Amino acid sequence: MPAATEPQSSTTQQITTPKENSFPCSFPRGSTPPARSLFKTILTVTVGEEKKPFLVHREVLCAVSPFFAAALNPCYDFRESRSSAFHLPSARPIDFEYLVQWIYTRTLTHEEVAAPHPAYFRLTRLWILADELQVEGCKNAIIDFMAKTADESNSVPTPDDTVTVFGEGGVREGSGLRALVVDLFAWKKTDHLVEGHEDTWDESFLRLLVARLKRMNWHEKGHAPWRNQITRCRLYHEHNDQSTCGDSEKKKGTLVMSAARLLEKRTHQVPGKLTISEYFFEVPLNHESPQDGTLWLFARSVEPYKKPVDVVEEEANPLPWYKVAERNRSYYDKYSEDIQRVKNIIHYLQTEKVILPSGGMISIARFRQLGIEFGFHGGIDRVHDIILRLATDLDYCGYFTRPTLAEFESMQIFDNSPLYALLHEAIYLQGDHASNWSADRIMKEHPAFMNLSTSNDEPIFFTGEMIYPSMFRDYIELRNLAPTADILAQMTSWPPLYNTKRLAHNDVPVYASIYIDDMYVSYDFARETAMKIKNCKTFITNAMYHDAIGAAGKSEEVFRQLFGLRDDVMD
């Protein structure tokens, strides 16, 4: 808005009139100021040492700023209340110009603050001025604009900006803007930025950032608080009357309620008896007042378990997807820095075609199949090692080097084990059921595995021991088998998996190990199957994974337990 230019009445926006008694001595008690007198008094506000003039409607300033409402109120007999001029010696003219723009247009759009590289320092200085002048609406608009801009441009404030916010003469301590800046850094994985600017950060900001990172749990990492309007208001906005943005909506006749959020669902079976589902919710203490906080609730539902072990359901893949998701969470809990590395790799694969030394291709789907390692002892560390190598190649070379691609290829066995890929789903089928690429269909029912966004903070999950049609394009040795794989996926004539009558009369001693946390074999199905075999004893443990019988430091314990079952005598 040009300085020293009288606003035209024909373009002035209508704004909310002052609250009752905002000007207790301006007019006789009981009278109403005539409408014709509104927006008629021009106040000259001079700003800074150079006293740059701005012509602003006096009534407009008083309506949005308790500071001006008090200073210009004749009742208090301030000198400014008897003058048509007002001086702000410590403010910057450019900041006041932005403030006047917001007061009249309720927008913050400007080439400096809305550029591809946002000027966070300008928004910060504007917030400081709005705080001094008590323009509450502008402060909250800056919070919303900064949060939106940070996401749209995938940016955070600079090191110098942190000095502006947290340094001497900066943003008021305990303010919502300080909390937002800390959260932006905490959620957006800016460790490399911090490492590259060691000497330019405000020390108090770094201390607050470390404390915030220590308080974060895994569920928080997946939900940036500024992206939810209600949470953003509760954490970062400031309201002088202790109301919330939701309260203002209620005043308009629209009731805003905060809904409960399902954090996690787990389902398991008591063999032959019950299906148990467990739910974990985050629930507002007061649905109409989200700022009052939340609590976590646990709920459980139980229903009869109806499916016998010798009938495989239509969905041929009985693998528990929740177990694969659980291992993904364990991976990102241990190596949280890999959340961004994985996103960077996915982003590269979205734009570049990567050919492996064998002639196969790394698609996004094949890259995510690294998650098959999560079910093995040491698998999480092996995945981290290859992710680190891939990410380092991109950082220093801009592409994946041949040694790294060769290492990646060696971790995936399907080129050397084509029957594994062909028959993996078929081995679960019987009767007139077809797999119809079961894993590919079922994955669409699990939102956590469908997220491939590289612009948000949700971690991208790896898949497990699942077979997909795309594998018969990505793996060089599987390409010629694609027609065969399609035929098997459509077949509907399969013999029974088990001769349950014969198993029920088995005379041969059987000793089996069952792993509760097995990512590949459902514990419930394994336990139920073992119960159908006469003379079968089981060693059950939650301290080992699927490959324990061949894993270093585990195989001796497995065999000791199994031979112990053989030597044990039961009545």
Side-chain angles (χ1 to χ4, degrees):
M1 178 174 291
T5 302
E6 181 174 344
Q8 301 297 316
S9 60
S10 60
T11 60
T12 302
Q13 284 190 331
Q14 183 179 359
I15 66 169
T16 306
T17 57
K19 295 181 181 179
E20 185 178 0
N21 297 329
S22 292
F23 306 93
C25 300
S26 299
F27 300 95
R29 183 181 298 276
S31 66
T32 301
R36 290 169 53 193
S37 69
L38 291 178
F39 313 123
K40 296 294 185 181
T41 307
I42 299 298
L43 180 71
T44 301
V45 181
T46 56
V47 182
E49 295 180 357
E50 62 269 40
K51 295 185 178 180
K52 185 173 182 178
F54 292 84
L55 303 182
V56 191
H57 290 105
R58 179 187 185 117
E59 295 83 2
V60 172
L61 283 180
C62 293
V64 299
S65 167
F67 171 86
F68 279 109
L72 301 176
N73 193 328
C75 183
Y76 299 136
D77 199 29
F78 292 128
R79 181 184 63 184
E80 291 83 358
S81 66
R82 301 187 300 273
S83 171
S84 61
F86 196 100
H87 183 49
L88 295 173
S90 60
R92 296 181 178 87
I94 185 63
D95 297 336
F96 190 75
E97 181 177 339
Y98 287 142
L99 180 64
V100 173
Q101 172 186 321
W102 181 87
I103 290 174
Y104 278 100
T105 69
R106 290 300 193 268
T107 66
L108 294 169
T109 55
H110 192 280
E111 60 270 18
E112 288 193 21
V113 298
H117 302 287
Y120 288 102
F121 73 94
R122 186 71 67 204
L123 291 169
T124 299
R125 290 176 179 173
L126 177 57
W127 191 98
I128 294 172
L129 178 61
D131 189 48
E132 292 175 354
L133 301 181
Q134 301 175 353
V135 187
E136 174 190 284
C138 184
K139 291 193 298 180
N140 295 337
I142 291 169
I143 291 292
D144 294 343
F145 186 81
M146 188 177 290
K148 178 183 177 182
T149 301
D151 278 343
E152 290 182 347
S153 61
N154 194 27
S155 63
V156 292
T158 67
D160 290 337
D161 292 336
T162 65
V163 177
T164 303
V165 175
F166 296 89
E168 184 176 355
V171 173
R172 172 172 43 82
E173 188 172 347
S175 65
L177 181 57
R178 281 194 169 203
L180 174 63
V181 171
V182 170
D183 283 352
L184 286 176
F185 278 87
W187 262 266
K188 284 185 171 289
K189 299 302 174 189
T190 52
D191 48 329
H192 292 298
L193 181 61
V194 175
E195 292 171 2
H197 300 76
E198 297 179 0
D199 301 325
T200 56
W201 301 94
D202 181 83
E203 292 184 2
S204 61
F205 160 73
L206 292 177
R207 288 193 293 269
L208 290 170
L209 177 59
V210 170
R212 186 68 180 98
L213 290 170
K214 288 183 176 179
R215 294 199 310 269
M216 288 174 64
N217 58 44
W218 189 89
H219 291 294
E220 281 188 297
K221 293 177 184 177
H223 304 279
W226 64 83
R227 292 182 181 140
N228 179 279
Q229 181 180 358
I230 295 175
T231 305
R232 185 169 66 246
C233 172
R234 175 169 57 87
L235 295 180
Y236 312 122
H237 283 186
E238 298 183 10
H239 297 276
N240 295 329
D241 58 0
Q242 303 302 312
S243 65
T244 67
C245 297
D247 293 334
S248 65
E249 292 297 321
K250 285 187 287 185
K251 293 173 184 177
K252 297 175 186 177
T254 302
L255 181 62
V256 177
M257 299 184 68
S258 180
R261 185 163 62 94
L262 178 64
L263 298 177
E264 188 174 357
K265 175 185 176 182
R266 301 174 184 173
T267 302
H268 61 275
Q269 283 82 35
V270 176
K273 298 180 180 179
L274 302 171
T275 296
I276 301 175
S277 298
E278 297 173 341
Y279 303 86
F280 300 84
F281 295 95
E282 185 180 38
V283 181
L285 290 172
N286 184 341
H287 284 279
E288 298 182 17
S289 182
Q291 71 274 12
D292 291 345
T294 60
L295 55 84
W296 283 25
L297 293 181
F298 166 77
R300 174 181 288 160
S301 66
V302 179
E303 59 183 350
Y305 181 61
K306 299 177 181 178
K307 184 172 70 66
V309 69
D310 61 331
V311 176
V312 178
E313 60 185 4
E314 181 180 2
E315 300 302 344
N317 193 331
L319 297 175
W321 283 78
Y322 76 86
K323 188 64 72 175
V324 182
E326 187 178 274
R327 294 298 291 160
N328 271 275
R329 296 186 187 102
S330 297
Y331 170 69
Y332 285 122
D333 280 342
K334 185 172 185 178
Y335 296 111
S336 59
E337 66 275 16
D338 283 359
I339 294 179
Q340 189 57 49
R341 287 175 179 151
V342 169
K343 288 181 178 292
N344 293 341
I345 294 169
I346 293 286
H347 179 72
Y348 180 80
L349 293 175
Q350 288 172 340
T351 57
E352 300 292 336
K353 184 177 181 180
V354 180
I355 304 299
L356 291 162
S358 68
M361 184 175 67
I362 303 184
S363 64
I364 293 174
R366 180 166 180 173
F367 169 72
R368 296 172 72 198
Q369 289 159 23
L370 287 171
I372 194 173
E373 290 281 339
F374 289 164
F376 298 132
H377 289 278
I380 282 179
D381 295 332
R382 287 192 292 275
V383 172
H384 168 69
D385 288 343
I386 192 63
I387 294 300
L388 184 59
R389 289 188 61 170
L390 291 166
T392 302
D393 278 0
L394 289 182
D395 289 342
Y396 289 95
C397 304
Y399 59 89
F400 301 135
T401 62
R402 181 181 178 86
T404 299
L405 292 177
E407 179 64 23
F408 173 91
E409 197 167 27
S410 70
M411 296 178 66
Q412 298 182 321
I413 65 172
F414 295 106
D415 277 329
N416 296 327
S417 305
L419 288 181
Y420 186 173
L422 274 177
L423 299 177
H424 183 264
E425 290 196 345
I427 63 174
Y428 294 104
L429 295 167
Q430 64 181 5
D432 58 356
H433 300 289
S435 73
N436 291 320
W437 298 108
S438 174
D440 194 50
R441 290 183 291 109
I442 298 176
M443 184 169 66
K444 296 179 176 62
E445 301 174 7
H446 298 268
F449 290 92
M450 297 303 294
N451 169 47
L452 292 177
S453 173
T454 60
S455 60
N456 60 28
D457 292 328
E458 296 283 350
I460 296 176
F461 277 11
F462 293 88
T463 54
E465 191 190 23
M466 291 82 171
I467 303 298
Y468 306 98
S470 62
M471 297 172 66
F472 292 84
R473 298 187 298 269
D474 296 339
Y475 292 83
I476 189 70
E477 296 296 333
L478 298 184
R479 289 175 182 173
N480 291 335
L481 296 174
T484 305
D486 282 329
I487 292 173
L488 287 171
Q490 304 305 321
M491 282 185 61
T492 57
S493 178
W494 299 94
L497 287 175
Y498 307 104
N499 185 336
T500 54
K501 293 182 179 179
R502 182 67 190 90
L503 292 177
H505 294 85
N506 174 58
D507 295 325
V508 180
V510 177
Y511 311 104
S513 57
I514 299 177
Y515 311 113
I516 294 175
D517 293 323
D518 195 321
M519 194 182 82
Y520 312 110
V521 178
S522 167
Y523 162 72
D524 297 311
F525 289 163
R527 183 80 180 92
E528 185 179 355
T529 301
M531 292 176 64
K532 296 289 185 178
I533 304 174
K534 184 180 179 182
N535 290 322
C536 179
K537 296 181 180 180
T538 55
F539 161 54
I540 300 175
T541 178
N542 65 350
M544 299 179 187
Y545 296 131
H546 183 82
D547 65 332
I549 199 167
K554 302 293 182 180
S555 57
E556 291 184 1
E557 176 63 16
V558 173
F559 282 111
R560 188 181 69 83
Q561 293 287 348
L562 294 178
F563 282 113
L565 292 176
R566 181 199 64 178
D567 298 335
D568 186 34
V569 176
M570 297 181 64
D571 295 336

